[in-house]
């Protein structure tokens, strides 16, 4: 019989894959290959107040089939996760170095050839609704919020 932790991990893996599907459609609609997900929007989606590094590791693992390359930034002076970057392609050399805001970083990535954008992730219910409508031909990706 599965442990409580195994059941929880499996349920979160499914949730992360729903997120991956949404991010893939969103990236396609925005015509980018990399999306940056700020901490606040990801915590809201996951319905969490705090997030341990282990959870970020789970997310990276579960999103690998959608976005094989991931990278996280941390808040200056702490080890606290700040932004999760997921990409279909390798991050450009020199793109991850230096301290900068997310908007400057995605602009820098884009200048280096990796089209990128910061996005907000809606809550879980909204993602399920958007994806269900999309998969049944009742909406299109342009109707997803930016």
């Amino acid at each position: 019989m599965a442990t409580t932790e195994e059941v929880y991990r499996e349920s979160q893996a499914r949730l992360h894959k729903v997120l991956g599907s949404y991010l893939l459609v969103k990236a396609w609609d925005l015509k980018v290959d990399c999306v940056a997900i700020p901490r606040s929007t990801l915590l809201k989606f996951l319905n969490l107040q705090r997030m341990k590094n282990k959870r970020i590791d789970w997310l990276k693992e579960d999103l690998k089939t959608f976005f094989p390359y991931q990278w996280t930034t941390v808040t200056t002076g702490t080890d606290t996760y700040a932004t999760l970057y997921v990409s279909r392609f390798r991050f450009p050399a020199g793109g991850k170095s230096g301290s900068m805001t997310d908007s400057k970083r995605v602009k820098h990535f884009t200048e280096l050839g990796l089209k990128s954008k910061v996005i907000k992730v809606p809550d879980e219910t909204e993602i399920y609704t958007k994806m269900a409508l999309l998969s049944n031909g009742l909406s299109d990706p342009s109707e997803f919020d930016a």
Side-chain angles (χ1 to χ4, degrees), residues 71 73 91-100 104-105 108-109 112:
W71 175 59
T73 60
F91 294 100
K96 297 193 289 185
S97 60
S99 177
M100 56 185 87
K104 286 183 181 178
R105 175 95 49 206
H108 186 57
F109 279 155
L112 292 172

Side-chain angles (χ1 to χ4, degrees), residues 85 100-118:
Y85 288 80
M100 56 185 87
T101 65
D102 291 330
S103 58
K104 286 183 181 178
R105 175 95 49 206
V106 298
K107 183 179 180 200
H108 186 57
F109 279 155
T110 300
E111 289 166 352
L112 292 172
L114 180 65
K115 295 177 194 165
S116 306
K117 181 115 176 144
V118 177

Side-chain angles (χ1 to χ4, degrees), residues 5-112:
E5 186 174 326
E6 290 169 334
V7 171
Y8 178 72
R9 173 64 182 106
E10 181 59 34
S11 72
Q12 295 309 293
R14 282 193 303 274
L15 179 61
H16 297 163
K17 289 177 183 180
V18 168
L19 174 62
S21 298
Y22 172 82
L23 294 173
L24 204 60
V25 170
K26 190 68 185 162
W28 175 77
D29 182 53
L30 295 170
K31 297 173 180 51
V32 299
D33 297 307
C34 172
V35 292
I37 311 158
R39 176 185 180 85
S40 59
T41 186
L42 192 53
L43 287 174
K44 182 180 173 192
F45 168 74
L46 295 170
N47 199 22
L48 297 172
Q49 299 294 320
R50 296 177 288 175
M51 187 172 352
K52 295 181 179 181
N53 288 339
K54 184 176 184 177
R55 185 58 181 268
I56 291 294
D57 293 341
W58 286 359
L59 265 164
K60 288 178 176 180
E61 179 182 330
D62 298 337
L63 294 177
K64 254 193 198 304
T65 56
F66 303 97
F67 296 93
Y69 304 95
Q70 307 93 19
W71 175 59
T72 54
T73 60
V74 294
T75 304
T76 304
T78 70
D79 265 347
T80 304
Y81 145 77
T83 304
L84 173 62
Y85 288 80
V86 295
S87 176
R88 293 180 44 232
F89 301 105
R90 291 186 194 280
F91 294 100
K96 297 193 289 185
S97 60
S99 177
M100 56 185 87
T101 65
D102 291 330
S103 58
K104 286 183 181 178
R105 175 95 49 206
V106 298
K107 183 179 180 200
H108 186 57
F109 279 155
T110 300
E111 289 166 352
L112 292 172

